[in-house]
């Protein structure tokens, strides 16, 4: 406590926010500990706290209240109750942000730097782990996708964290030598994670960054950016190419792969009446199949208006998997689309609130012309088409914290030390 009193209270809050973001790849216990530290930092700073009428911060709170209300009509109350404990971040974090003073650009940069450097450390640890596993087994798969970070942590979610950390360091106003090195590490690690969606969006953000650097005549960063792009094209090995290529296998007719596995086309994922254990859905066809069974579930339960209760859909998905005679694996997966996930659980109001959250981010990120905010908005809007972001605690914490930070920036105070990264 004596130590805390000696430092600025706002710095303590910023560090706690940075640590909360840094805890995302760690076991959930660490995330909860970091949340506790953030709450303590706010309580200690009670004299500086003052309620502010930031309407944007009420939207995630309303979303959580709707989740609570869904208990009244949930078809699986146990699953809904379990989700409410996991989704409490929708309530707690915005509530505290409603009392935190507006964040200066300098404070935001401090938070994001803590986060970015922690992601560098995490990347190095994962790479060391993959190297050890490679020397034990001789299998290069340890350097790619879920095998690199484990399926439980999930390569898609780690890609979100790494991508944001990379764009932050790439657009940092004044870089040290180690910042350039860390930028290389993060982008290389992102490529190895092989998330098609995140890689494409990150390349788009790199293009905006390049245009900005040309505009302000920053030659060294431009050269560094080009070198990053050239060197990091090397890790696009056969394994990563296959992850992209598999999506473009015949979209109208099923294709037989090795070992008799049948790759289901996008068309047949929607139309085919029966499957069996040999049928395999690639990323695109699987999402189409999930939209198909979502529509069937909603029609059968007549639940388009109210939904069937947040996170209560899994038994219905399992029934569809059994009905279509698919491998048990497909019965354990959620909709992998946050828009239809919220629609299924919360009805029309659920999807409307998700759209409002994203629309608010689009309007403000374009208005502020902040590259990092724009990247976060593009990334989360897009990833919600392929992942149920709010069904995993890491996804909830990632979205809610950054949503609150970006919507709590004080745009009226210019930052002379670190000029904002404009689009």
């Amino acid at each position: 406590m004596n130590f805390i009193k000696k430092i600025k209270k706002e710095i303590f809050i910023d560090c706690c926010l940075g640590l909360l973001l840094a805890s995302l790849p760690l076991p959930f216990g660490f995330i909860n500990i970091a949340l506790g530290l953030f709450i303590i930092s706010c309580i200690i700073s009670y004299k500086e706290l003052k309620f502010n009428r930031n309407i944007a911060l009420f939207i995630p709170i309303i979303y959580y209240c709707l989740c609570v209300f869904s208990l009244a009509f949930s078809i699986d109350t146990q699953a809904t109750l379990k989700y409410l404990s996991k989704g409490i971040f929708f309530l707690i974090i915005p509530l505290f942000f409603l009392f935190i003073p507006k964040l200066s650009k300098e404070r935001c940069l401090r938070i994001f730097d803590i986060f970015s450097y922690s992601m560098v450390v995490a990347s190095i640890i994962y790479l060391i782990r993959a190297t050890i596993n490679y020397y034990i087994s001789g299998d290069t798969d340890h350097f790619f996708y879920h095998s690199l970070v484990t399926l439980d942590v999930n390569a898609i979610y780690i890609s979100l964290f790494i991508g944001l950390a990379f764009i932050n360091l790439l657009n940092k106003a004044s870089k040290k030598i180690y910042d350039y090195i860390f930028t290389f590490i993060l982008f290389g690690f992102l490529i190895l994670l092989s998330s098609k969606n995140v890689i494409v969006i990150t390349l788009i953000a790199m293009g905006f960054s390049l245009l900005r650097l040309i505009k302000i005549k920053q030659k060294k960063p431009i050269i560094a950016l080009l070198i990053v792009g050239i060197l990091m094209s090397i890790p696009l090995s056969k394994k990563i190419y296959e992850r992209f290529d598999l999506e473009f296998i015949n979209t109208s007719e099923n294709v037989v792969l090795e070992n008799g596995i049948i790759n289901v086309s996008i068309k047949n994922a929607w139309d085919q009446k029966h499957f069996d254990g040999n049928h395999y859905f690639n990323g695109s066809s699987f999402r189409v199949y999930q939209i198909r069974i979502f529509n069937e579930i909603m029609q059968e339960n007549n639940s388009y208006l109210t939904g069937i209760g947040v996170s209560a859909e899994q038994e219905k998905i399992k029934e569809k998997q059994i009905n279509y005679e698919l491998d048990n694996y497909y019965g354990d997966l959620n909709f992998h689309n946050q828009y239809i996930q919220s629609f299924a659980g919360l009805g029309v109001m659920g999807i409307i609130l998700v759209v409002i959250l994203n629309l608010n981010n689009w309007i403000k990120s374009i208005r502020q012309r902040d590259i990092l905010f724009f990247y976060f908005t593009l990334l989360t809007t897009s990833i919600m088409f392929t992942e149920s972001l709010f069904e995993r605690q890491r996804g909830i914490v990632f979205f809610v914290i950054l949503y609150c930070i970006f919507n709590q920036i004080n745009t009226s105070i210019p930052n002379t030390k670190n000029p904002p990264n404009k689009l």
Side-chain angles (χ1 to χ4, degrees), residues 190-191 194-204 240 244:
L190 181 65
I191 293 295
S194 311
S195 171
K196 303 179 291 295
N197 196 337
V198 179
I199 289 174
V200 170
I201 291 172
T202 303
L203 291 175
I204 292 172
I240 299 174
F244 281 85

Side-chain angles (χ1 to χ4, degrees), residues 86-140:
K86 175 172 60 179
I88 194 69
F89 290 88
F90 281 116
L91 177 67
I92 294 177
I93 294 176
L95 274 178
F96 277 95
F97 265 87
L98 280 170
F99 292 90
I100 295 175
K102 290 278 189 178
L103 300 173
S104 65
K105 191 70 178 181
E106 185 176 358
R107 291 184 65 186
C108 290
L109 291 173
R110 181 188 298 129
I111 295 168
F112 292 134
D113 281 352
I114 293 172
F115 168 66
S116 296
Y117 294 141
S118 68
M119 290 303 104
V120 173
V121 173
S123 300
I124 293 172
I125 292 173
Y126 280 126
L127 288 171
I128 292 173
R129 174 182 170 275
T131 303
I132 294 172
N133 289 334
Y134 169 72
Y135 276 108
I136 293 174
S137 66
D139 189 353
T140 58

Side-chain angles (χ1 to χ4, degrees), residues 14 16-17 37 56 60 64 66 74 81 102 108 119 158 178 203 210 246 253 306 329 331 338 342 367 387 397 403 420:
D14 297 345
C16 289
L17 281 171
L37 288 173
Y64 185 76
L66 186 61
S74 175
L81 282 170
K102 290 278 189 178
C108 290
M119 290 303 104
I158 295 296
Y178 56 79
L203 291 175
L210 179 61
L246 191 59
E253 299 295 334
T306 62
Y329 167 75
Q338 188 56 55
S342 294
R367 184 181 297 164
E387 295 293 325
V397 176
Y403 175 89

Side-chain angles (χ1 to χ4, degrees), residues 151 280-281 286 318 321 326-333 336:
L151 181 60
Y280 164 77
F281 295 95
F286 172 66
K318 185 69 176 178
Q321 169 258 311
L326 286 164
D327 187 273
N328 291 337
Y329 167 75
Y330 293 107
D332 297 328
L333 300 176
H336 276 64

Side-chain angles (χ1 to χ4, degrees), residues 14-121:
D14 297 345
C15 289
C16 289
L17 281 171
L19 288 174
L20 188 50
L21 286 170
S23 69
L24 288 171
L26 301 175
F28 297 131
F30 289 94
I31 296 176
N32 294 330
I33 291 172
L35 175 64
L37 288 173
F38 169 64
I39 293 173
I40 290 172
S41 70
C42 292
I43 294 174
I44 290 173
S45 308
Y46 70 94
K47 289 183 178 179
E48 286 77 27
L49 301 184
K50 184 180 179 181
F51 180 75
N52 62 83
R53 300 175 182 176
N54 190 339
I55 297 176
L57 298 179
F58 283 98
I59 304 173
I61 295 174
I62 295 171
Y63 184 85
Y64 185 76
C65 290
L66 186 61
C67 292
V68 174
F69 179 71
S70 73
L71 270 172
F73 49 82
S74 175
I75 62 173
D76 188 344
T77 53
Q78 291 302 314
T80 299
L81 282 170
K82 185 178 179 180
Y83 181 86
L84 293 179
S85 63
K86 175 172 60 179
I88 194 69
F89 290 88
F90 281 116
L91 177 67
I92 294 177
I93 294 176
L95 274 178
F96 277 95
F97 265 87
L98 280 170
F99 292 90
I100 295 175
K102 290 278 189 178
L103 300 173
S104 65
K105 191 70 178 181
E106 185 176 358
R107 291 184 65 186
C108 290
L109 291 173
R110 181 188 298 129
I111 295 168
F112 292 134
D113 281 352
I114 293 172
F115 168 66
S116 296
Y117 294 141
S118 68
M119 290 303 104
V120 173
V121 173

